[in-house]
Amino acid sequence: MKKYRLSKPFVLKSAILGLTFSFLFLAISVNSIFAENIRIQKANYELAARWTSQKVGKMVFDTSVSPHWLEFSERFWYSFETSQGKKFCLVDPARKTKSPVFDNAKMAAMLTKITRIPYDAQHLPIKTLKFVKKDTAVQFEVEVPKDADIAIAKKEEKVVEKDLIKKEKEKEKDKEKEKEAEKPKEEEKKTKTLYFEYELATGKLTLLEDYQPPPKKPRWASLSPDEKTVIFARAYNLYMMDAENYALALKKADDPKIKETQITTDGEQHYSYARRLRGDELKEFQKESQKDEKDRKDPRSPAIMIYWAKDSSKFAVFREDERKVADLWVINSLSNPRPTLETYRYPMPGEENIPQLEILIFDLATKNKVKVKSDKFKDQSLAILTARTTALAREKDKVVSQWLSDTSDRLYFMRQSRDMHKLDICLANSATGEVKILIEERLNTYIETRPMFLFGNGKEMVFWSERDGWGHYYLYDENGNLKNQITSGEFTCQSIEAIDDKNRAMFFTACGREPNEDPYFMHLYRINLDGTGIKLLNPGDAFHSVSMNDSNRYFVDNFSRVNTAPKSELRDIQGNLLVDLETTDLTALIQAGFKFPEPFKVKADDGITDLYGVMYKPFDFDETKKYPIIAYVYPGPQTESVTKTFSPKSGNVALAQFRFIVIEVGNRGGHPQRSKWYHNYGYGNLRDYGLADKKAAIEQLAIKYPFIDINRVGIYGHSGGGFMSTAAMLVYPDFFKVAVSSSGNHENNVYNKWWSEKHHGIKEVVDKDGNIKFEYNIEKNSDIAKNLKGHLLLATGDMDDNVHMANTLRLATALIRANKRFDFFIFPGQRHSFGDMADYFFWLRADYFCKHLIGDSATIIDMVELNREKEQGGEKKGR
């Protein structure tokens, strides 16, 4: 065999080449190992358990000031709770002062002496504080053990409250005797309520021994503005009683002396004057009815919404004819002793038979009924325009829906076509029912509305419209003639806070006007009614929420961002800062390791439109590692679920702690607070319109932040978000890998009429004979169920009467037919929000993401994190 000798240069080159390949292979291997190591592979259940809403609630308390404006001055009081306890403050805008309503330490000492129960300044038991005696004193309640010996001041000595206890025990015995023997006994109340009065000038605290609190207004009573008449329903008809008989009813609901007057006789089932109750609300009312009027087979019930003339001489109602509307059902499988069927009328989109509305006006003196001649559009909707509720009425719990007009001869209302392309503002003559059209609004997409404002003795109106592509206010005269546009520009007005008729100025909230700010941040502005002199009244790069007093001279401004501590200020109507009220104390939160979420801005899928979002990181974040990313979504279009204010109890804060990057981000078509173009982007494409923007946002974030693992993308949402998160899995199956979709309206053809027809659109078709019908078609998630590639968890409550579980079951059927593996969870006895099982679902959802995005999830049977919460604080309600 012939031998070949290799030259030394060749051997050297081969050796070098071999070493090079060896080092290259070693480098690839090391890089592969390193890349695998930097991927998050361990879920942090312990950290997540430390940031549940229950635990956060023990570190941060109040985040805003709710002013209670006083009746006899322009002062207000508020309570504010911190880690040092709750304080009560009195603010005088004229003097620019803030002072305690009382000294907490002295109050605790006085209460301890009287109740013989120890209190301190940080743990005052005060409830339902209110100012009395022309704002010179305050009354409040204290709950104490039922058998507590209370020291009652009589002259210069104190005696034990034996008589009061004896009387209460006798009352309890009488109540027990009245109970029917076959009914289960209610749990005996273990506490009693004491009533106190504190004089501001002297600092004297008095126990109101014989005080009887005013009876609570029963749910069936609609009280007139002058409080002389009460309207209610019995069976399907309207009844009324005067103040004297109402007083008897408050003492004893079935007192035979009570005189009632029947107003209507034509009410019937599904065409009724009684307000329709169902579900939990119906059960609660039936329970109350059994307590108060157990001997009546036909108890009083709430009437349909009552709209009162301001002088209380007339009232108006909507009567809804649902006799042809089809039924829907849910089954209460947990009902004892047998499951029960719950039936209700439920119009679905595109159906021929939907509720038909009419407006009726009643004259109290004559009992005459007038039907408003409102008919114009087939299957139209109607709305009565109402006056603004005053701060004092809210404070006194005397909120009454009143006509917009100051006089009882004029009723303003709005009507809109079924496709929502046509809207009329109308004025009805309350004596004849004749109707005059004041404003006609037309658009080739749905028309949004805001409350209308009437002023100048009814001579002028302010109307909100998006006719120029942005939400703005327009000034009209009483006959509907346009005088001028008040606001203009590329921003959106939200609400009128006040109109200064004397100085011809308007105060309103708007967003998107301030440069270099998140366009969703709200502010208060002043502008002249001729459209000149616009002025920002509460500057600051944050979301502002205002509360103005009835004189329109002062307002409380609460403002915050997701990444700052909330603040509250008092300002005058010129925007001058008067008093710094509160800044939320975040000391305990920060010490526990809390880190603010991070706002961000990206481009939509068109590369032009700005989208705004928030990123939540785990508090043990390590930028050298790669994290799965989860998008929390809600498509809108009536809102965008992107947090704008400080919200440490957010479930996304806790979810991120498992070691996820969690984001919230908007999408075109997702919010009415931007341009009409932005809001209506998804019109006609309600399933897919927001998905490309969610995907584009995540891709941009992954490029910008190397710690985001673009190959491990999750998505979740509830209701519309449940619909959207599943759609994302089916439209982009190679991008979105895991979804948890709860209570989703996956099949919008079986969801409620108003949302689907409004936001997707319904077509009005007129044939050659002038007959009108409506055509409706919408894409459904089940249509593309065959596209599923990733892991999908569907969840629903079996008693959901909002988004019926049929939506989820139909999607599940399509997935089964397509031979797809998926997960399905039903919450027994739960409605749309899962009620007291919501916490359970949080951990179930977290488990699912941990398992399929991280590869590490809890395997033990017990949800130990939930059990710990129960052990520490008892049973918890939904998050």
Side-chain angles (χ1 to χ4, degrees), residues 31-227:
N31 285 338
S32 298
I33 294 171
F34 181 69
E36 187 66 28
N37 286 342
I38 66 171
R39 286 168 57 97
I40 291 294
Q41 295 178 317
K42 183 70 176 176
N44 196 339
Y45 275 74
E46 181 181 353
L47 185 58
R50 285 166 45 195
W51 291 96
T52 61
S53 61
Q54 293 92 340
K55 286 188 168 60
V56 174
K58 298 173 184 177
M59 292 183 280
V60 60
F61 297 86
D62 287 336
T63 58
S64 64
V65 166
S66 297
H68 301 267
W69 299 96
L70 302 187
E71 181 176 2
F72 298 99
S73 69
E74 294 191 307
R75 298 177 298 165
F76 66 90
W77 72 270
Y78 69 90
S79 64
F80 198 82
E81 190 171 14
T82 69
S83 59
Q84 301 303 308
K86 182 178 289 187
K87 61 182 179 181
F88 298 83
C89 296
L90 182 61
V91 180
D92 188 332
R95 297 181 178 180
K96 303 180 183 180
T97 60
K98 178 184 76 171
S99 58
V101 175
F102 44 74
D103 183 288
N104 278 26
K106 291 181 179 179
M107 178 61 72
M110 289 188 290
L111 285 173
T112 299
K113 288 178 182 178
I114 296 175
T115 65
R116 295 171 177 168
I117 298 170
Y119 299 112
D120 63 23
Q122 288 181 292
H123 302 93
L124 289 178
I126 291 173
K127 299 193 305 183
T128 61
L129 185 145
K130 63 179 179 179
F131 274 68
V132 295
K133 294 183 176 179
K134 294 189 176 180
D135 302 340
T136 63
V138 293
Q139 287 182 359
F140 57 84
E141 301 174 9
V142 172
E143 202 84 5
V144 298
K146 187 177 179 181
D147 58 354
D149 285 342
I150 305 301
I152 300 177
K154 288 188 178 179
K155 295 182 180 179
E156 296 182 359
E157 62 179 5
K158 295 180 181 179
V159 297
V160 179
E161 188 199 8
K162 291 183 179 179
D163 291 340
L164 186 57
I165 294 174
K166 184 178 179 180
K167 288 179 182 178
E168 289 183 353
K169 287 184 177 180
E170 288 174 352
K171 290 179 182 179
E172 290 296 324
K173 288 179 181 179
D174 292 339
K175 289 181 181 179
E176 288 295 328
K177 289 179 182 178
E178 292 175 0
K179 289 183 179 180
E180 297 178 20
E182 66 273 14
K183 289 184 179 180
K185 292 184 178 180
E186 294 184 6
E187 186 178 350
E188 185 178 0
K189 194 174 180 181
K190 298 179 180 179
T191 63
K192 62 183 176 182
T193 302
L194 301 180
Y195 299 90
F196 293 87
E197 185 171 287
Y198 175 80
E199 296 179 4
L200 298 181
T202 64
K204 180 183 177 182
L205 181 68
T206 304
L207 173 64
L208 304 178
E209 302 172 29
D210 300 320
Y211 178 79
Q212 292 295 323
K216 293 183 179 179
K217 187 180 83 170
R219 294 181 59 187
W220 51 263
S222 176
L223 196 59
S224 62
D226 64 7
E227 301 185 357

Side-chain angles (χ1 to χ4, degrees), residues 712-748:
R712 292 188 289 174
V713 180
I715 187 170
Y716 87 95
H718 184 81
S719 192
F723 165 49
M724 187 182 206
S725 52
T726 293
M729 294 284 289
L730 305 177
V731 174
Y732 295 108
D734 294 310
F735 184 79
F736 294 100
K737 304 299 171 53
V738 185
V740 179
S741 304
S742 52
S743 301
N745 45 304
H746 305 284
E747 311 288 298
N748 276 302

Side-chain angles (χ1 to χ4, degrees), residues 784-838:
I784 51 176
K786 61 181 177 59
N787 295 343
L788 182 67
K789 290 184 179 182
H791 299 281
L792 173 63
L793 169 61
L794 301 176
T796 184
D798 67 349
M799 290 191 66
D800 192 337
D801 53 1
N802 177 9
V803 180
H804 196 276
M805 69 179 298
N807 285 267
T808 305
L809 291 174
R810 293 184 181 203
L811 173 60
T813 300
L815 291 167
I816 293 169
R817 300 293 185 203
N819 298 322
K820 299 293 182 179
R821 290 187 174 92
F822 66 101
D823 296 282
F824 195 175
F825 199 94
I826 292 180
F827 285 92
Q830 297 305 312
R831 305 282 182 180
H832 190 54
S833 62
F834 301 163
D836 59 3
M837 296 183 183

